[in-house]
Amino acid sequence: ISLQNEALSLGRVYVLLDMATRWYFDGNRVINQIDAWGVSGNRWQVIHTSEKPGVHYDYRAALEIINASVSPDTWNTTSNTVTENVQVGQEAVKDTNGVVTYKPIYKEVCATIYYVNASKNATVTAELNIYDATGRRLRSDMIWASDNFSENFSYYTGDARVSATNGCRTSNTVFFPSDWTMMDNCARDLRFRLECLIDEADVQ
């Protein structure tokens, strides 16, 4: 077992990942999250996000975040006003023979139906360069990560007796994800793509 462990240690390559950003606020959020989670290698590949004493690094990977942004909460709304006659009661009517029948009484009511698409998007663009121990660049890749929120619904104002209000909300409240949550989701996506690219970089 000790020989196997020694062979494994000797056979591994070590990669030092340096991360930087041009976008102080959201970019640093992404970097800090990736650093906190760590970047996974494989059985023959170890990736460090900070330099460890006594480790000879076979490769260096430089990740630079070029853009990191979250859109504002966005609303796209159309509306339609519906007018309808609804029965509000009935009136007793007696004919000449004294027979009583009932005549419905209608009232005109209206409601406005709003059709809403609520959306919010976050994107991160980064460049990854991988170098060998001599500083020679082996490859350069662009990485894109994103997180998208979208919700479609309808709500109404006016009279609930209008049949078109069935299934509609009574308010337009939307719980948009926070900017932090969306940046964290982008960081998770970026981390996965980063791991795949380093794994594909023939540094095993």
Side-chain angles (χ1 to χ4, degrees):
I1 294 176
S2 61
L3 290 176
Q4 289 177 341
N5 291 337
E6 183 179 355
L8 179 61
S9 177
L10 292 173
R12 280 176 171 161
V13 298
Y14 289 83
V15 181
L16 178 62
L17 173 62
D18 294 316
M19 294 183 283
T21 180
R22 302 179 191 177
W23 292 76
Y24 178 78
F25 190 69
D26 289 329
N28 274 331
R29 173 77 179 192
V30 171
I31 287 176
N32 290 337
Q33 285 298 90
I34 293 175
D35 190 44
W37 294 329
V39 181
S40 299
N42 55 55
R43 180 177 174 82
W44 298 104
Q45 183 186 92
V46 179
I47 303 171
H48 293 161
T49 56
S50 60
E51 194 163 357
K52 309 295 183 186
V55 177
H56 169 75
Y57 290 97
D58 304 283
Y59 300 90
R60 290 180 180 264
L63 179 76
E64 182 178 25
I65 295 177
I66 299 169
N67 176 67
S69 59
V70 183
S71 75
D73 300 348
T74 302
W75 300 76
N76 290 308
T77 305
T78 59
S79 64
N80 181 39
T81 299
V82 180
T83 301
E84 195 170 279
N85 288 319
V86 298
Q87 185 176 342
V88 294
Q90 56 186 6
E91 178 184 11
V93 179
K94 185 183 293 186
D95 65 14
T96 55
N97 297 319
V99 178
V100 177
T101 57
Y102 293 92
K103 178 183 177 181
I105 300 172
Y106 291 95
K107 179 183 179 182
E108 187 178 86
V109 296
C110 70
T112 301
I113 315 299
Y114 298 89
Y115 305 93
V116 179
N117 169 254
S119 62
K120 185 175 182 178
N121 305 290
T123 57
V124 175
T125 306
E127 182 179 5
L128 175 67
N129 290 289
I130 298 179
Y131 305 88
D132 65 15
T134 68
R136 180 173 61 95
R137 187 167 69 178
L138 302 177
R139 63 182 294 166
S140 180
D141 297 278
M142 296 298 296
I143 312 175
W144 291 270
S146 63
D147 188 39
N148 303 294
F149 168 84
S150 181
E151 184 175 338
N152 296 294
F153 65 95
S154 56
Y155 74 100
Y156 74 93
T157 58
D159 200 305
R161 290 173 292 182
V162 175
S163 59
T165 64
N166 290 339
C168 294
R169 300 180 183 178
T170 57
S171 75
N172 63 345
T173 302
V174 176
F175 296 99
F176 286 94
S178 69
D179 291 4
W180 284 132
T181 297
M182 299 195 81
M183 273 293 107
D184 288 351
N185 290 338
C186 284
R188 189 173 289 105
D189 186 20
L190 187 71
R191 173 175 171 252
F192 172 76
R193 297 172 189 272
L194 175 64
E195 289 172 343
C196 291
L197 284 173
I198 293 177
D199 187 57
E200 291 172 4
D202 196 26
V203 296
Q204 301 177 6

